[in-house]
Amino acid sequence: MMKRINKAGAVTLLSILLTVALAITGCQSSGAKSPEAAQNSAEQNTPDEQAKGEGASNSTAPASENSEGQSAETIKEGSMEKEGNVVLKELAFVYNEHTIAISDTANEDQMEQMLGKPDNLKSHTYSAGDGTNMDTLIGFTEKVYTYPGLEIKTISIPEGKQDSIFHIEITDPKYATVRNIKAGDSLDTLKNAYPEGKLLGDGAPNEEDDFRYEPSNYVDVMSFHIKDAKVESIQIYSLLD
């Protein structure tokens, strides 16, 4: 009786061992990893995954920085120096390849080099008793250069600062604006060249009117006097404080 029990137990134990052996073999063949192997694998993969994550983050950073850089500086009309000022470059005329604009510095020698010797040159320094009632300009010196069909006024502030152009009047067609408008051009040609401008009066084609191009700084102005639907004269000027 005892031998039968031992034999049955041995068979049962052998069956259990075979089942365990088959289970282990099946796990290994299916690629399953022990907890320790899985932990080692995770530690090895973590740096790569982190590097990929950092790379994705860095790839978007320049785009954001560029976007901020583009919007960080806004250029406004009338706020830049002369060399880069779109407004002042527009308020100019061209003669013999020289572009002469409002706020340009110009002494007598420079004016003669660009335009030749003037027919007349007048100079006046404002004072309290000169009868002009221009108290804000006391101590300033104004010069008026007169050429056939062209008059240019400059002003210099006290303490020996350079003369700068503040007023230009043109009646001769040989002096054209930077958009190639000159005395004698039609009103339609003027409107096409300066679509930002407008007629100040009713704009009747057979009556006199003024067509004004006035940039957003409200200080520098270009005004075209219209008569019989044509440009009779051009004034470019800067308002003095």
Side-chain angles (χ1 to χ4, degrees):
M1 183 71 173
M2 195 70 167
K3 290 180 179 179
R4 289 179 181 179
I5 294 172
N6 289 341
K7 185 176 181 180
V11 171
T12 302
L13 179 60
L14 180 60
S15 177
I16 292 172
L17 290 174
L18 288 173
T19 302
V20 171
L22 289 173
I24 292 173
T25 303
C27 290
Q28 289 178 345
S29 64
S30 63
K33 298 179 181 178
S34 67
E36 185 177 303
Q39 182 178 359
N40 292 338
S41 176
E43 289 176 354
Q44 291 173 357
N45 291 335
T46 299
D48 292 337
E49 292 172 355
Q50 289 177 349
K52 290 179 182 178
E54 290 173 359
S57 176
N58 289 340
S59 67
T60 59
S64 176
E65 289 172 4
N66 290 341
S67 176
E68 290 175 2
Q70 290 174 357
S71 61
E73 182 180 356
T74 302
I75 298 175
K76 298 180 180 179
E77 285 185 307
S79 65
M80 298 175 62
E81 295 298 327
K82 170 66 182 71
E83 287 72 13
N85 193 322
V86 175
V87 171
L88 296 183
K89 284 183 176 180
E90 285 286 349
L91 299 179
F93 72 96
V94 181
Y95 178 72
N96 282 347
E97 298 183 355
H98 293 292
T99 301
I100 303 170
I102 288 296
S103 296
D104 276 349
T105 57
N107 58 32
E108 294 179 22
D109 290 337
Q110 291 170 324
M111 293 290 287
E112 187 167 341
Q113 289 174 6
M114 293 185 294
L115 298 166
K117 190 172 182 178
D119 289 355
N120 191 30
L121 172 59
K122 295 190 296 184
S123 179
H124 174 75
T125 300
Y126 290 94
S127 63
D130 62 5
T132 60
N133 295 321
M134 300 291 288
D135 293 344
T136 58
L137 297 180
I138 290 176
F140 288 62
T141 299
E142 178 184 309
K143 294 179 182 177
V144 182
Y145 298 82
T146 303
Y147 299 87
L150 175 67
E151 182 180 86
I152 297 178
K153 295 180 181 180
T154 66
I155 192 103
S156 64
I157 65 175
E159 302 176 1
K161 294 296 179 70
Q162 287 184 310
D163 299 349
S164 61
I165 297 172
F166 76 96
H167 192 278
I168 300 168
E169 184 170 2
I170 301 169
T171 56
D172 192 311
K174 70 182 177 182
Y175 305 109
T177 71
V178 291
R179 297 192 190 181
N180 199 33
I181 293 297
K182 54 192 178 298
D185 283 343
S186 69
L187 178 58
D188 288 339
T189 301
L190 172 62
K191 287 179 177 180
N192 289 333
Y194 291 91
E196 313 95 323
K198 62 179 180 180
L199 289 166
L200 299 184
D202 294 333
N206 295 323
E207 297 180 6
E208 293 189 45
D209 204 342
D210 288 303
F211 183 92
R212 179 172 293 183
Y213 167 69
E214 187 175 23
S216 61
N217 60 11
Y218 304 109
V219 174
D220 305 304
V221 178
M222 182 179 287
S223 181
F224 302 83
H225 186 69
I226 307 301
K227 185 176 182 180
D228 297 329
K230 292 183 179 180
V231 177
E232 184 178 65
S233 64
I234 304 169
Q235 288 192 56
I236 311 171
Y237 58 91
S238 181
L239 300 176
L240 298 177
D241 294 334

